Amino acid sequence: MTSEEAPAARDVAVVAFAQTDHRRSTAESSEVEMLMPVLHDVLAQTGLKTADIGFTCSGSSDYLAGRAFSFTMALDGVGAWPPVSESHVEMDGAWALYEAWTKLLTGDADTALVYSYGKCSPGSVRDVLTRQLDPYYVAPLWPDSIALAALQAQALIDAGHTDEPALAAVGARSRADAAANPHAQLKGRQPQGDYVVRPLRTGDCPPVGDGAAAVILAAGERARELCARPAWIRGIDHRIEAHGLGVRDLTDSPSARLAAEKAGVFERPVDTAELHAPFSAQEVILRRALRLGDDVRVNPSGGALAANPVMAAGLIRIGEAATRIHRGTSDRALAHATSGPCLQQNLVAVLEGDPR
Amino acid sequence: MPEVLQAPLVVEFPFTRSLGPVQSAFLTGLRERVVLGVRTGDGRTLVPPVEYDPVTAEEIRDLVEVAPTGTVTTWAWNHEPRRGQPLDAPFAWVLVRLDGADTALLHALDAPGPDAVHTGMRVRIRWAGERTGAITDIACFEPYDGPAAQPGDHTGEFAAPLTGIVAPARLDYTYSPGRAQSAYIHALSQQRTVGERCPSCRKVYVPPRGACPTCGLATAEQVEVGPRGTVTTFCIVNIKAKNLDIEVPYVYAHIALDGADLALHARIGGIPYDQVRMGLRVEPVWTEGARFPDHYRPTGEPDADYETYKELL
Ligand SMILES: [Zn+2]
């Protein structure tokens, strides 16, 4: 072996995706009870059993559940005994997928199960999310998630990049598209509503809801065995910006743009983009940052404005993009997930189907 | 199916946090009505200050004072203030770039209504009457149309600098244990213990969580277990827990209830602590109105054979 070139990376694909019907409350189910049908669904799609899975990775948040180590309870749903190779991120499942993707690239596993879930109904998610903010300068003021998104929206309006009618149109289009999505929580014509925190109205904000999602990844030939048209992950990258809101240019998303560049988005056009934009103004920012033209189908699922189960909504974007490739309605799709206030952290993946 | 249970759950924690030199100077400064920023290598002044340059990641410590007046860079009208927020009456959230700073600070602006607020408007700090060294020492901002205040030349050296803060947090939840655990808790209220059997491996889990952790399958078939059981292992507790009225030493044990394939844990009573042993047969002792057994006591039966419980250790 004299070559100094690294061996070619393995091809890894999304081969199955499932999600719950997202609802305002699922008090009748514990987290694992809500999650299990979704896990069984992706396993059934591939014919795999939990014992066949090489690596398992999940995403969730103790702050939604109000309990420490809450993810350990959900592990019952994947048959964690006998011991499984398993990991967890206290983040959206999109980041769990990133970890699983790197695990498959190493060759340590050929298949991975990625799942995530969030029940927003037990608490007030607007207040819960304040606990992720800077604990010295920001969290003591309890600025809720809608307030921070509203500051970002006003900055965007002041910069001349949008106005309130344009924002309303983003919400209306998302919910109209969601009419074809059986899992969406808010679909069809919805009133734009009153201001929640001005300039954002009800229609500019995501519904609060509970839900879960699961994805199976497979490498190389294993992916072709498990799926007729695998959604190959051609690139995936995630970047973060300064935590100080007043340090950042809230009208832009340089971290999303950089992640997209590193993931290879700009090498060739995409036909579909699933953007994790919980607030209408964030879609405007992401379209600009990711240079998405009017010819790109954005959020045909309805996006996070139609269903936003916290910790699962980003993974769902990857799953929805992959599903369109599986069905042949997309050949090259962008999937995006965000975390933190005002698009602080962004993950971008490029998915492709085999040429037809 | 019995009704799914719900109960209020309050999570409160007073986080005790250390301050580094930069955060200490900033928060101590607020206590003394001085606003400090930190200067980066490229000459920008960050307010509020951070310890590492957000662009270069270099450590920065060069403190400079900025003015208590500034300009709104963006805002949002909050007509329904929530618990913990700076003002009780409707207010604007604002990012304010203080005079002398290059970045903006998040806080509240006291204004009569949204029509009185715009990006670019001039504001000044309204100090809290009692200041402790916290971001809330700034009570809020208020509209200001006077001349820009001149920043002082404070160096960030204080006589009694803060070294830490206590940041209290409280979140309110409505906890629901879901279907399987609700059924378990309902049964306990009738002094019965129910588990659920896995449809595949046939094991009975107590308390049930709705899934078999071995097979990853949903469980639904309810099985009544106990009330008697066998001590599989135990420990002797020698330290008295806070707010717990139990004399030490006492024994805490894993107990395999008859018919269950998973051991519960509970306190053992009615027997001197140094006579508790593996294989001891026990039964629950209920107190009036209790929602779970107070403890387990010996039944007087012969000890269980090791072979009967070794799988449950
Ligand atoms: Zn089983």
Side-chain angles (χ1 to χ4, degrees):
Chain A
M1 293 284 280
T2 53
S3 169
E4 290 185 4
E5 280 181 30
R10 309 172 90 197
D11 284 330
V12 174
V14 176
V15 297
F17 168 60
Q19 60 184 316
T20 52
D21 292 344
H22 309 299
R23 294 190 286 127
R24 179 63 188 86
S25 174
T26 54
E28 73 285 359
S29 313
S30 65
E31 279 91 346
V32 67
E33 287 168 339
M34 178 179 74
L35 181 60
M36 243 180 321
V38 167
L39 296 172
H40 296 166
D41 188 344
V42 283
L43 291 167
Q45 287 177 39
T46 54
L48 294 170
K49 296 191 166 36
T50 49
D52 302 329
I53 297 290
F55 181 62
T56 298
C57 198
S58 62
S60 67
S61 172
D62 282 352
Y63 281 79
L64 291 176
R67 279 178 302 141
F69 295 102
S70 57
F71 77 95
T72 59
M73 297 291 195
L75 271 178
D76 286 350
V78 297
W81 181 265
V84 296
S85 173
E86 182 269 339
S87 185
H88 174 258
V89 298
E90 188 77 7
M91 283 192 80
D92 189 288
W95 278 262
L97 182 139
Y98 184 90
E99 183 177 337
W101 174 72
T102 58
K103 183 81 170 179
L104 264 54
L105 288 186
T106 66
D108 277 358
D110 291 331
T111 54
L113 170 64
V114 179
Y115 64 89
S116 65
Y117 61 93
K119 288 183 65 159
C120 297
S121 58
S124 164
V125 72
R126 284 176 71 175
D127 301 318
V128 167
L129 290 177
T130 65
R131 300 301 92 190
Q132 71 180 338
L133 302 170
D134 176 305
Y136 299 94
Y137 303 155
V138 182
L141 305 174
W142 292 85
D144 61 279
S145 47
I146 297 178
L148 297 177
L151 287 168
Q152 184 170 38
Q154 184 63 45
L156 202 66
I157 291 169
D158 287 335
H161 295 318
T162 194
D163 54 27
E164 291 191 34
L167 295 182
V170 170
R173 192 212 72 236
S174 298
R175 276 110 192 194
D177 282 343
N181 176 354
H183 306 288
Q185 184 179 339
L186 212 56
K187 47 183 121 182
R189 282 182 78 87
Q190 303 285 334
Q192 181 63 0
D194 296 329
Y195 286 122
V196 186
V197 179
R198 182 171 167 170
L200 295 181
R201 295 174 183 271
T202 322
D204 294 306
C205 303
V208 175
D210 301 352
V215 159
I216 289 179
L217 299 181
E221 281 310 302
R222 198 80 181 95
R224 290 183 207 283
E225 291 164 20
L226 296 172
C227 178
R229 191 174 195 243
W232 300 106
I233 300 174
R234 293 303 181 205
I236 182 167
D237 195 90
H238 63 99
R239 301 282 159 164
I240 183 169
E241 290 169 45
H243 66 254
L245 289 169
V247 174
R248 293 161 48 191
D249 174 2
L250 295 179
T251 67
D252 194 8
S253 184
S255 58
R257 186 184 303 109
L258 183 58
E261 185 191 322
K262 298 293 181 184
V265 170
F266 302 132
E267 290 164 15
R268 286 192 296 123
V270 296
D271 55 46
T272 304
E274 278 284 342
L275 305 179
H276 184 194
F279 297 94
S280 55
Q282 295 177 343
E283 182 183 303
V284 177
I285 293 166
L286 289 167
R287 278 178 181 261
R288 291 178 67 238
L290 299 171
R291 301 177 206 156
L292 300 175
D294 291 339
D295 54 334
V296 178
R297 187 82 168 89
V298 172
N299 287 352
S301 65
L305 284 164
N308 190 41
V310 176
M311 299 297 143
L315 181 62
I316 290 169
R317 304 281 74 75
I318 299 174
E320 290 280 7
T323 301
R324 284 177 72 83
I325 287 170
H326 295 162
R327 290 185 188 142
T329 43
S330 168
D331 292 317
R332 180 172 157 89
L334 178 157
H336 160 267
T338 195
S339 184
C342 301
L343 300 172
Q344 187 194 3
Q345 308 179 45
N346 294 284
L347 178 149
V348 176
V350 180
L351 305 175
E352 281 184 0
D354 285 326
R356 288 177 290 184
Chain B
M1 189 175 103
E3 179 194 353
V4 171
L5 297 170
Q6 291 195 333
L9 170 69
V10 177
V11 178
E12 280 186 286
F13 28 81
F15 271 125
T16 303
R17 295 185 176 277
S18 303
L19 301 173
V22 171
Q23 289 174 322
S24 168
F26 177 70
L27 293 178
T28 307
L30 295 185
R31 189 184 70 193
E32 310 301 329
R33 300 193 194 209
V34 169
V35 186
L36 293 165
V38 68
R39 193 159 282 156
T40 63
D42 62 3
R44 293 184 311 140
T45 299
L46 310 183
V47 180
V50 294
E51 294 136 316
Y52 295 91
D53 189 314
V55 178
T56 65
E58 272 175 43
E59 186 172 1
I60 41 178
R61 294 216 176 167
D62 183 11
L63 295 161
V64 285
E65 187 175 352
V66 298
T69 53
T71 304
V72 170
T73 64
T74 186
W75 63 284
W77 186 255
N78 187 29
H79 65 90
E80 276 180 330
R82 303 169 76 78
R83 191 188 66 211
Q85 294 182 345
L87 296 169
D88 294 332
F91 67 89
W93 288 106
V94 280
L95 281 168
V96 174
R97 189 168 55 233
L98 292 170
D99 296 324
D102 294 292
T103 60
L105 172 89
L106 178 77
H107 221 293
L109 169 67
D110 185 6
D115 294 341
V117 186
H118 61 272
T119 296
M121 78 182 283
R122 297 284 297 161
V123 295
R124 73 172 167 196
I125 289 174
R126 180 189 297 165
W127 294 102
E130 267 188 46
R131 295 178 309 283
T132 59
I135 192 66
T136 46
D137 288 353
I138 298 175
C140 62
F141 283 88
E142 59 191 22
Y144 173 72
D145 52 15
Q150 288 303 309
D153 54 1
H154 206 287
T155 58
E157 299 281 330
F158 293 97
L162 292 165
T163 56
I165 59 167
V166 177
R170 174 192 165 118
L171 293 170
D172 287 74
Y173 298 91
T174 302
Y175 180 71
S176 172
R179 180 201 56 80
Q181 293 187 83
S182 285
Y184 172 76
I185 295 168
H186 269 299
L188 275 182
S189 70
Q190 300 158 10
Q191 302 196 359
R192 295 186 303 122
T193 302
V194 299
E196 284 186 354
R197 192 190 303 281
C198 172
S200 174
C201 68
R202 309 300 294 163
K203 283 189 172 167
V204 174
Y205 291 96
V206 186
R209 294 207 290 264
C212 171
T214 307
C215 306
L217 292 176
T219 59
E221 183 194 339
Q222 286 186 8
V223 181
E224 186 159 344
V225 299
R228 292 184 167 188
T230 301
V231 171
T232 62
T233 185
F234 63 94
C235 64
I236 299 167
V237 180
N238 285 289
I239 295 173
K240 207 170 164 68
K242 213 173 167 180
N243 306 324
L244 200 60
D245 191 23
I246 301 172
E247 286 307 311
V248 290
Y250 66 87
V251 171
Y252 209 70
H254 275 192
I255 299 162
L257 294 180
D258 295 346
D261 292 290
L262 192 72
L264 287 166
H265 41 89
R267 184 168 65 89
I268 304 295
I271 180 174
Y273 72 90
D274 56 356
Q275 291 177 29
V276 174
R277 56 201 181 267
M278 291 169 74
L280 181 71
R281 294 285 295 160
V282 292
E283 63 188 3
V285 178
W286 295 83
T287 51
E288 184 68 31
R291 290 177 297 175
F292 48 88
D294 180 70
H295 64 275
Y296 283 74
R297 69 180 172 211
T299 62
E301 294 166 275
D303 283 5
D305 189 35
Y306 179 65
E307 293 297 316
T308 63
Y309 63 85
K310 68 173 185 182
E311 294 295 325
L312 296 171
L313 278 177

